[in-house]
Amino acid sequence: MSESLNKTIIESIKKYDFETASKAVAELFATDMNSPKPHIFLGIISELQKNKPEAMRHFRAALALDGTDQVALYNLYRVGDGSREPIRFE
């Protein structure tokens, strides 16, 4: 189930349909509240909505749950240094 939710979230974010993505993220939180994935997705949404401080908070929260998550670490550094590198979803 979480794989289909991940796919829905990624597709919605790429279409800038943040309402659908946020609802799916809420479902993902309900499925596994200890997963860093929902925070990564919320960080990406926040970044695309031009809210960098909130994006960084979500990426840090993802790292607090799993300090080895390379996607969260990559996105945190990318947002923090203002890089034009592409967003990583997975």
Side-chain angles (χ1 to χ4, degrees), residues 34-63:
N34 293 317
S35 170
K37 281 283 192 196
H39 285 289
I40 292 170
F41 292 137
L42 289 174
I44 292 169
I45 291 169
S46 297
E47 176 189 358
L48 292 172
Q49 291 177 325
K50 308 290 188 225
N51 191 341
K52 288 173 87 173
E54 183 175 320
M56 292 179 74
R57 279 193 293 275
H58 282 295
F59 294 137
R60 281 192 214 97
L63 286 168

Side-chain angles (χ1 to χ4, degrees), residues 23-36:
K23 287 178 184 176
V25 168
E27 288 181 49
L28 193 58
F29 264 124
T31 324
D32 184 5
M33 51 204 279
N34 293 317
S35 170

